Amino acid sequence: MPGRTLRARALSTRSAALATLGATIAMVVALIATGTLSFAHGRIGTGATELGDPDYGVCRGLDPDCYHDWGNFDPAKGYRILLYTHTAGPRHANLGPALATGLNPPITDANVVQKAMLKLGEQGGFQVDYTEDVTQLASPNTLFKYNAVVFFSTSRDALDDAAQTSLRQYVRGGGGFVGIHNAFGTEYNWPWYEGLLGNANFYDHGAAQPGTVQTMDRKDVSTKELPARWNFTDEWYNLVPAPTKVRVLAKVDESTLAKGVAGNYNHPGHGDNHPVAWCQYYDGGRSWVTTLGHDAKEFTTDGSFAGATEFQKLITGGIQSAAGMKPFCK
């Protein structure tokens, strides 16, 4: 009898242990499924607790293996980019009046960005088509005609479901993306797009004011012709989240901002590391972005606006590298 009692107790204890283990496994599976528990990049824990999950479930960062070279682009056909300036919210003055539907509709002198990008394309060796018509982005087959897609101060929900899917498939097929200025104020509620921006999003900005840009990486195509420091005037976006796993190409020296760094929603600024341009591989494609680009005068060529020449070199090189014309994110 005592032997049978001991065996029964042992079996009961073993059953309880197995039940506890099963419950633990079920809980872990549930946490992983809901994204609460993260094993990404060797982490075991609750992941980022303040600014969101920085992983986005895709291959991203500086490893060229994240790029999908699937033969969707033929350099022999030349290089074309699609400039997209659709605004579903605030519209920057340098975009001029809203454009008619279709591809390459009529523009006026007030459409400063569109006219300037056409000129930069001529100088930089790439053809520029432009549109604010979301239907022009509705098919990956259409986007694959372009070596890069440029979002210049788009705003809010600038894409519908079809265009979102198309852009994602395009990038996954090796497409290039360039985001300029209020591209950071676009598609706020789409995590994949936030990742495309480098795990970054616009939060607020202070007064538009002069400041000094520091060129951080002078080996990259977009920065190799820039001085170590150059003056520029912008809104100096504050970011939440701030970029991670990217190559920072330029930042603003916050000590040169006489009107301060605090934004209109009280962001305190980024201190010694306030990035304004960076690059990364993302989900099969290339992404080059800058928060600069607020003022129409940045496209002047007469020397009247400090930093205009440097800004134009920066974005031209960024487009060339994202489009595959020149080495990317080196």
Side-chain angles (χ1 to χ4, degrees):
M1 291 290 291
R4 267 188 257 169
T5 301
L6 289 173
R7 283 196 299 274
R9 287 178 179 173
L11 287 171
S12 176
T13 300
R14 186 180 302 168
S15 298
L18 289 172
T20 300
L21 178 60
T24 300
I25 292 172
M27 180 176 68
V28 171
V29 170
L31 289 172
I32 292 173
T34 59
T36 305
L37 187 63
S38 174
F39 288 87
H41 308 297
R43 293 197 311 275
I44 299 177
T46 56
T49 58
E50 296 180 9
L51 298 178
D53 182 1
D55 295 317
Y56 304 99
V58 305
C59 184
R60 75 178 189 94
L62 302 180
D63 187 348
D65 285 345
C66 289
Y67 182 72
H68 295 165
D69 188 4
W70 290 347
N72 285 312
F73 305 96
D74 183 359
K77 296 180 178 179
Y79 293 88
R80 297 175 65 190
I81 72 162
L82 180 65
L83 173 65
Y84 189 56
T85 52
H86 179 85
T87 52
R91 187 174 179 87
H92 277 68
N94 61 359
L95 296 181
L99 303 183
T101 58
L103 192 67
N104 300 329
I107 54 176
T108 69
D109 288 343
N111 298 112
V112 174
V113 165
Q114 295 86 345
K115 293 194 69 173
M117 294 297 287
L118 287 168
K119 184 176 180 180
L120 291 183
E122 292 176 0
Q123 297 171 346
F126 50 88
Q127 179 182 333
V128 178
D129 289 332
Y130 58 89
T131 190
E132 293 185 0
D133 184 351
V134 69
T135 67
Q136 299 296 317
L137 283 72
S139 167
N141 288 330
T142 299
L143 292 186
F144 278 124
K145 296 176 182 177
Y146 299 98
N147 302 89
V149 175
V150 179
F151 281 26
F152 200 129
S153 285
T154 47
S155 67
R156 304 290 172 84
D157 294 330
L159 303 175
D160 58 17
D161 287 348
Q164 284 186 340
T165 300
S166 178
L167 179 65
R168 186 166 54 193
Q169 298 301 78
Y170 167 76
V171 170
R172 285 177 171 172
F177 175 82
V178 174
I180 301 175
H181 201 50
N182 207 48
F184 286 85
T186 300
E187 298 293 328
Y188 280 112
N189 299 312
W190 186 18
W192 182 88
Y193 181 81
E194 180 176 273
L196 183 65
L197 297 175
N199 176 49
N201 232 320
F202 169 75
Y203 179 75
D204 69 5
H205 63 74
Q209 59 180 310
T212 299
V213 177
Q214 298 172 273
T215 306
M216 302 305 297
D217 187 331
R218 299 178 71 186
K219 297 179 181 178
D220 190 75
V221 169
S222 62
T223 53
K224 67 179 182 180
E225 295 185 9
L226 302 183
R229 295 172 65 87
W230 44 285
N231 296 325
F232 196 65
T233 297
D234 214 283
E235 296 173 315
W236 312 112
Y237 280 3
N238 293 316
L239 306 164
V240 176
T244 59
K245 297 174 64 178
V246 302
R247 175 163 285 120
V248 174
L249 302 170
K251 66 180 183 178
V252 60
D253 180 350
E254 288 190 352
S255 69
T256 64
L257 303 180
K259 297 180 181 179
V261 298
N264 52 311
Y265 296 137
N266 296 315
H267 190 296
H270 293 278
D272 291 337
N273 294 294
H274 190 150
V276 297
W278 56 92
C279 55
Q280 63 161 345
Y281 292 99
Y282 186 79
D283 200 14
R286 307 181 184 101
S287 174
W288 187 99
V289 296
T290 179
T291 62
L292 305 179
H294 171 71
D295 200 309
K297 295 177 182 178
E298 67 211 5
F299 288 112
T300 57
T301 57
D302 59 4
S304 61
F305 188 80
T309 298
E310 289 78 6
F311 173 76
Q312 292 169 43
K313 288 181 178 179
L314 178 74
I315 62 172
T316 299
I319 291 169
Q320 290 172 329
S321 64
M325 291 180 66
K326 297 184 177 181
F328 178 73
C329 212
K330 298 296 186 181

